[in-house]
Structures are given as structure tokens and as C-alpha cells.
Amino acid sequence: MAVERHGAVTLGGKPLTLVGREIKVGDKAPAFTVMGNDWKNVRFEDFGGKPTLISSILSVNTGICDAEIKRFNEEAGKLGEQAQFLTLSADLPCSQSIWCGAAGVKNVKTYADHLDTNFGLAYGTLVKEIRVLSRAIFVIDKNGIVQYVEYVPEIGQHPDYDKALAAIKKLV
């Protein structure tokens, strides 16, 4: 049975339940499988060997998520091949692909957790009541150890970009 954390996050001030265990700094990054924009499954192990910033978002088609991905896309471009930036949501892969093309996002890779919410359950970001992912940031070093975590308490708020970016830059 999955761990449930009622009230761990809100949407518009309404308390919601996160499903899955809470990840902490120092944890080994849990394995997960998501779907790429080409509809093929991708495992976390397939990314390996680079510092990684993972942003968990509600949907590419919301204002704050849009701004978040664009901000991380800009920063990822500055770091080049030294790090990788992944954004995961419960959107369909085709929705993510269309959004990325329209927004000109090329430095952040988007992945869909819509099928079985494998990532959401592994990282404790699945919102039980509405089956989407909550807003959270995870920075993982090249050895697969979590170095930074932020579960944004209100889904409709931005993450702390400065702290997340400082964490990934420290690893490159």
C-alpha cells in the first residue's frame, strides 16, 4: 500500500493528498519508468551519469508550468551537456511534444507519467484527488543520490528557482 500524505499540498488553498513516499536529500533516487514524446518507455537508469534536475509539474498547458519549463530551458542551455533537465507531468506525450515545439523548448526533455503514474508514486508527487503530479523539484548527482528536494506546498506557486539552480550548478 502506498503512503498517503493528506494536506501535504494545496491547489487554490484546498488541501490535497500526495501518494508515495517523500524523497529526502541523501536518498538514492528511486527508479521510475515514463513515456517519451515518441510514446516509448524510458527508465531513469537510461539517463545515467549526469547531474539531473527533475521538475514535476501539473501540466505543460498551465501558466506557471509554462513559465517554469521555459526558465529551466534557458538555464539548461547555459549548462549544455554538463547536466540534464527533465520535466515530468501526467500529460499525454503528444501534448508535451506539441507544447515544446510551439514554445521552442529544446534543452529540457519532457516525459509523460500518464499511464501508470510510476514517477509520481516513486517520488511522492501523485495527487490522489485529481491524478496529476504536484509541483516539485529534485536534483540528483551523477551517482544517483538526491542532493536537493523541494515539494512546492501550493501547486499554483513557482518553485524556488535560485535554490534549485544553485544545487544543479554545484554538481557540474
Side-chain angles (χ1 to χ4, degrees):
M1 177 161 166
V3 174
E4 292 189 2
R5 301 179 335 255
H6 183 70
V9 68
T10 59
L11 179 60
K14 178 185 173 195
L16 298 171
T17 306
L18 291 182
V19 182
R21 78 177 184 92
E22 184 176 357
I23 302 300
K24 298 188 183 319
V25 171
D27 287 351
K28 174 116 178 90
F32 62 85
T33 302
V34 288
M35 198 172 280
N37 290 339
D38 59 2
W39 293 84
K40 293 181 181 167
N41 284 338
V42 179
R43 299 171 311 146
F44 180 61
E45 306 87 71
D46 298 335
F47 298 111
K50 284 186 186 178
T52 304
L53 185 145
I54 299 174
S55 59
S56 170
I57 64 168
L58 181 73
S59 172
V60 295
N61 292 304
T62 64
I64 292 175
C65 298
D66 174 281
E68 180 177 327
I69 299 169
K70 288 176 180 173
R71 171 77 187 270
F72 285 138
N73 185 63
E74 180 182 327
E75 297 295 335
K78 294 174 187 174
L79 291 176
E81 295 297 315
Q82 299 177 78
Q84 56 193 345
F85 286 66
L86 315 176
T87 295
L88 287 74
S89 71
D91 292 310
L92 290 172
C94 55
S95 296
Q96 292 177 340
S97 180
I98 291 166
W99 182 90
C100 286
V105 169
K106 295 180 179 168
N107 302 315
V108 170
K109 302 299 180 203
T110 57
Y111 294 93
D113 195 31
H114 78 98
L115 191 60
D116 60 7
T117 61
N118 189 259
F119 170 83
L121 291 168
Y123 283 72
T125 65
L126 177 62
V127 180
K128 179 180 179 179
E129 291 85 353
I130 54 178
R131 200 181 179 279
V132 297
L133 302 183
S134 68
R135 188 174 316 286
I137 307 291
F138 306 93
V139 175
I140 302 161
D141 69 20
K142 66 180 181 176
N143 299 314
I145 304 300
V146 178
Q147 299 296 322
Y148 176 83
V149 175
E150 179 187 10
Y151 288 94
V152 179
E154 166 59 46
I155 293 174
Q157 293 178 339
H158 288 274
D160 189 327
Y161 296 109
D162 293 337
K163 285 184 180 176
L165 292 167
I168 191 80
K169 288 175 182 175
K170 184 178 174 183
L171 300 175
V172 296

